Amino acid sequence: MRLKLLSPGEMSADQKEVYDEAIAGKRGAPPAPMMAWLNSPEMARHATRLGEQLRFNTIFPAKLSEIAILVTARHWTSHYEWYAHKRLALKGGMDPDIIEDIRDRRTPTFDDPKGKMIYDLAKSLHEGHGVSQALYDEAVKMLTVRGVVEVIGLCGYYTMVSMTLNTFEFGLPEGEVSDLA
C-alpha cells in the first residue's frame, strides 16, 4: 500500500465529515477508494455520492449493473475491485459462469438480452473508446437512453475506482488471493 489510510481520529474536520456521510449512507461503511480520495475531501464527497447513486439507484438490478463493473475491473486488472464486486455479483444472482468468462476475457453467454447489451456496451467503451451507431441504436432500444447513460456512468466511475485502487496498491484482505492474472 502506497498510502497511509487515516483513521477517523486522524482526519481533518472536512475529511471526517465526508467519512461520516459515507458510513451513514446505504453502504454502511466507507468504500475503499474513498479512503484515498479523502486527501481531496470535496472530491471524496462527490465521488462517494456518485458511487452510491450508481451502486444502488440505477434502473438495473445488481445482477446487471455488476456486469459493467466486472468488465471494468477486468479491463483495469483491478484486483481489489474484482475481489469486492465478484462477491456482490454472486450475491445479486449473477451466473458464476459469466463471472468466470469475464475474468478469462471470453465473451459470456447470457440468458438475459439486457445483460448481453450491458456487456457489449462496457466492452466497446473500454476497448473501442466509444460505441458504434448500430450498437448505440440497439442499446437505446433495449436499455433506454437512461440505461445507456447509467452504463457509461458505471464504467466511468469504476474506472476511477480501479485507477485509485491500482495506483495506491490496495491489497486484498488477509488470506485472500486474486482471481486475476
Side-chain angles (χ1 to χ4, degrees):
M1 180 77 165
R2 291 180 166 162
L3 186 65
K4 180 190 181 307
L5 302 183
L6 302 174
S7 69
E10 298 171 303
M11 294 176 187
S12 71
D14 288 343
Q15 291 169 326
K16 183 75 167 76
E17 185 181 314
V18 173
Y19 177 87
D20 288 345
E21 180 182 316
I23 63 173
K26 290 184 179 179
R27 288 184 184 98
M34 187 199 76
M35 298 306 291
W37 298 337
L38 282 173
N39 288 282
S40 175
E42 278 307 302
M43 181 191 145
R45 178 186 321 279
H46 293 291
T48 303
R49 286 176 180 171
L50 177 60
E52 185 171 301
Q53 174 65 29
L54 291 167
R55 263 290 298 292
F56 300 106
N57 299 316
T58 69
I59 61 172
F60 305 115
K63 177 181 176 179
L64 294 179
S65 62
E66 291 295 338
I67 293 167
I69 297 167
L70 289 177
V71 168
T72 302
R74 185 65 192 113
H75 176 78
W76 288 98
T77 311
S78 182
H79 300 282
Y80 189 96
E81 193 63 19
W82 181 268
Y83 164 81
H85 283 275
K86 173 185 174 183
R87 278 138 194 79
L88 292 170
L90 289 168
K91 184 179 174 186
M94 189 183 295
D95 180 340
D97 291 340
I98 291 172
I99 296 169
E100 186 177 307
D101 285 341
I102 293 171
R103 180 197 67 209
D104 295 341
R105 300 182 192 275
R106 292 187 305 259
T107 302
T109 302
F110 293 92
D111 57 2
D112 182 342
K114 286 184 179 181
K116 176 159 181 15
M117 180 56 64
I118 291 168
Y119 174 84
D120 290 346
L121 272 174
K123 289 290 282 186
S124 183
L125 288 165
H126 287 301
E127 294 177 5
H129 308 285
V131 177
S132 71
Q133 188 65 51
L135 180 57
Y136 173 82
D137 292 342
E138 192 179 338
V140 167
K141 231 183 268 183
M142 185 174 296
L143 304 176
T144 73
V145 172
R146 177 181 172 176
V148 172
V149 167
E150 290 178 349
V151 171
I152 294 165
L154 286 162
C155 291
Y157 174 77
Y158 284 98
T159 289
M160 182 173 70
V161 167
S162 294
M163 289 176 154
T164 300
L165 297 171
N166 287 355
T167 297
F168 295 109
E169 297 179 348
F170 276 70
L172 299 180
E174 187 70 33
E176 295 293 335
V177 178
S178 180
D179 289 345
L180 303 181

